[in-house]
Amino acid sequence: MVEDGAVTLADSSGRALSRAHPLTMFGLDALIAGAARLRPMRLAAADASTGAAIDHAELDRRVAAFRADLRSFDLQPGERIILFAAPTSATLIALIGIISAGLEPVTAPLGLSIGALAAGARAVAAAALIAPASIGGESLEELVFGVAAQAPSIRLIGSLDGTIDGAVDFGPRSRSENDSSASTRAAPGKKVLVGALDQYGAPHFHEQAGLVSSGLGLIAKAHVNGSAPLLSLVSPGSIGGLVAGPLAALLSGAALHFLAPFDGADFLATLDALGPLRLVAPRAAMADLDAAGLLTSGALLACVAVHRAGEDEPAFEPSHPYSCPIIEIGADGALRAPPRPAAGRAAY
């Protein structure tokens, strides 16, 4: 994390893994490309609310197309792009496409005010702002242009899905990356940083090696693997959401499903459709999951509880000792110490 200008890894275990594991040598875009070669036809990401799904080969192709689109604009290597991050596969494609183009993504969780978002954009001198056109049927056009009006460095506005008047359409298309001459331009060899805005709009930057380290630590702790899917209710707009969802899925081979916007009936239907799975959910939702009996129903093999930025509550303790294992992760991607397990409670 960047603190007062210094770049550090999330925690001591992350630093140890960074030295020891060869995967930390690769950027996130290289991991996407590697997964496309190793398991091209296996499901990579799906949006449960729409039923749209893409395999690893298609994910890699869409990342390449997004990269080619970005390179067709006057954006210089290392410039920063604010990405409004919803829990969708479109956000994942945009995030990796930005990295692949040699630009630095700065993710913004949904729910921040125009003032906080604009302050973050000014702090990083953002050259561009990319967002979904709407979330849950609610247009983000006013929010997008409100931020751009207060951040004079922004010279490009893009839409991920749908129309924002005056914005570039970065939605998926049928063409391949090779249709663009910009696709032949090589990205810089230096791995870019990945940034995220906190609840006040202040930016924090992370090395990609540290993120991969955190992902490896999480999948080991939560026993994430390709035998069961991951269902994420959390936006990759925070580093914790990125590590617990997309990175954990990519590193483990598990299929990643997003559900946004959250709807109780859709959530239960998704649990039934996917079978036993590992859930990525906000820590604030754990009490509701517990009260609904979902931690003991057998539908969840484990639950990764992601803290919001600034959230400092003690570790969650379920009401029943036989609840599924719960792993907590901070907004910065660092694993949090669990409560002392009660007698008979499953624990890793």
Side-chain angles (χ1 to χ4, degrees), residues 269-287:
T270 302
L271 291 183
D272 289 340
L274 297 180
L277 53 80
R278 292 175 177 85
L279 178 69
V280 180
R283 186 207 173 278
M286 294 305 299

Side-chain angles (χ1 to χ4, degrees), residues 111-118 143 147:
L112 295 186
S113 68
I114 290 178
L117 290 165
L143 178 67
V147 172

Side-chain angles (χ1 to χ4, degrees), residues 33-286:
R37 289 191 296 269
L38 291 172
R39 44 183 186 269
M41 306 305 292
R42 187 182 298 179
L43 179 64
D47 296 313
S49 59
T50 64
I54 52 176
D55 58 30
H56 283 281
E58 177 66 7
L59 175 60
D60 186 48
R61 190 201 67 77
R62 292 195 188 184
V63 166
F66 199 96
R67 175 181 66 215
D69 279 349
L70 283 174
R71 290 182 182 170
S72 68
F73 295 96
D74 184 25
L75 295 168
Q76 300 303 309
E79 285 197 292
R80 292 166 174 168
I81 296 180
I82 298 289
L83 175 62
F84 290 2
T88 64
S89 56
T91 296
L92 174 59
I93 291 164
L95 176 68
I96 304 301
I98 292 168
I99 292 170
S100 184
L103 304 164
E104 291 192 343
V106 182
T107 61
L110 301 176
L112 295 186
S113 68
I114 290 178
L117 290 165
R122 291 193 299 270
V124 302
L129 185 158
I130 297 175
S134 62
I135 295 292
E138 182 177 346
S139 173
L140 297 187
E141 186 168 325
E142 182 177 347
L143 178 67
V144 166
F145 284 103
V147 172
Q150 298 182 42
S153 61
I154 293 175
R155 58 185 189 272
L156 172 68
I157 297 174
S159 170
L160 291 179
D161 52 359
T163 301
I164 295 179
D165 188 33
V168 175
D169 181 7
F170 284 105
R173 292 170 314 287
S174 60
R175 70 158 177 80
S176 69
E177 181 197 16
N178 292 331
D179 293 331
S180 170
S181 59
S183 67
T184 60
R185 292 166 50 192
K190 181 181 178 182
K191 287 191 291 186
V192 300
L193 301 177
V194 177
L197 301 183
D198 65 16
Q199 72 273 32
Y200 305 111
H204 301 272
F205 287 88
H206 298 247
E207 292 179 325
Q208 292 186 59
L211 299 182
V212 174
S213 295
S214 296
L216 291 168
L218 178 65
I219 63 176
K221 185 71 173 176
H223 293 189
V224 182
N225 56 59
S227 66
L230 272 173
L231 174 62
S232 181
L233 311 180
V234 179
S235 163
S238 73
I239 295 300
L242 173 61
V243 168
L247 257 180
L250 179 63
L251 292 168
S252 67
L256 176 63
H257 298 259
F258 289 109
L259 180 62
F262 180 82
D263 175 84
D266 286 348
F267 176 58
L268 295 177
T270 302
L271 291 183
D272 289 340
L274 297 180
L277 53 80
R278 292 175 177 85
L279 178 69
V280 180
R283 186 207 173 278
M286 294 305 299

Side-chain angles (χ1 to χ4, degrees), residues 1-8 203-206 332:
M1 182 187 302
V2 169
E3 296 288 356
D4 299 325
V7 181
T8 62
H204 301 272
F205 287 88
H206 298 247
D332 60 355

